[in-house]
Amino acid sequence: MTLRLSKIVQAIPQVDTLCDVGCDHGYIGIGAWEMGKVQNVIFMDISAPSLAKAQNNCANVQMNNCQFVCQDGIQDVACDCAVIAGMGGLETISILQNTTRLPKFLVLQPMRNQIDVRKYLLNNNYKLTLDTKFQDTKHYDLI
C-alpha cells in the first residue's frame, strides 16, 4: 500500500459501514477492514472493470462483508463514512451534491480544487476535523 493510500485509511474513523467511492482496486476499503476500522464496505465505482478488480482483491483476502455497486457516486446508498479519493475537487463536490443520504463522516483526498471542497463542506455543516497536506510521489491534501 502506498503512503497516500495508507494516510487515507488512517483517517477513516471507526464506523459500521464505509463506502469507498471510486474504489478502483479496493485497497482503501480492504485496508480499513483489515485494520478493524469498519465492519462492512460498499465498494463503488462507475467502471465495471475497476469494480471487478476490487471484487477480485476482496476475494484474495477472504473479505465477505462487502457489496459491489456500479454507479456514479453515492446517490442513495446509506453509509456511515464515505471515502472519495483521487478525483478532482469539483467531481467530489458533484458526487456529494447528488447524494440523498450524506454520511456523518467524509474522508476526502481531492486532486484539484481543494479550496472549493473545503468551502462546500463548511457551507454544508461539516466540521473539518482533519485538514492536512502530505507528500508521497507528489503533494496531496487530506480532508
Side-chain angles (χ1 to χ4, degrees):
M1 182 176 288
T2 65
L3 175 63
R4 175 181 159 265
L5 295 178
S6 178
K7 293 265 190 190
I8 294 166
V9 169
Q10 289 171 17
I12 296 170
Q14 188 85 30
V15 295
D16 182 64
T17 303
L18 172 71
C19 187
D20 185 357
V21 182
C23 66
D24 191 26
H25 37 59
Y27 295 152
I28 292 171
I30 292 169
W33 177 75
E34 287 180 330
M35 289 181 67
K37 290 186 162 228
V38 301
Q39 298 301 310
N40 306 288
V41 180
I42 302 167
F43 293 93
M44 184 173 291
D45 207 293
I46 194 170
S47 161
S50 289
L51 209 53
K53 286 190 287 185
Q55 198 163 10
N56 186 52
N57 287 334
C58 287
N60 288 341
V61 296
Q62 299 179 348
M63 182 178 176
N64 55 11
N65 292 3
C66 51
Q67 293 177 262
F68 301 91
V69 179
C70 190
Q71 71 181 29
D72 186 9
I74 303 167
Q75 298 178 22
D76 64 350
V77 173
C79 62
D80 304 305
C81 177
V83 172
I84 306 173
M87 295 181 210
L90 299 181
E91 180 65 23
T92 298
I93 292 168
S94 176
I95 289 169
L96 295 174
Q97 287 174 330
N98 292 314
T99 299
T100 57
R101 300 181 194 180
L102 284 170
K104 182 175 181 179
F105 301 103
L106 296 170
V107 177
L108 309 175
Q109 189 273 296
M111 300 300 283
R112 296 176 300 283
N113 304 102
Q114 295 88 345
I115 291 172
D116 295 312
V117 172
R118 289 180 182 92
K119 286 179 186 176
Y120 175 83
L121 293 171
L122 293 172
N123 289 335
N124 286 277
N125 301 315
Y126 276 96
K127 180 180 175 186
L128 302 184
T129 57
L130 172 70
D131 190 356
T132 188
K133 294 179 185 292
F134 65 94
Q135 185 174 345
D136 190 358
T137 55
K138 56 183 171 179
H139 292 279
Y140 296 100
D141 286 58
L142 183 59
I143 306 168

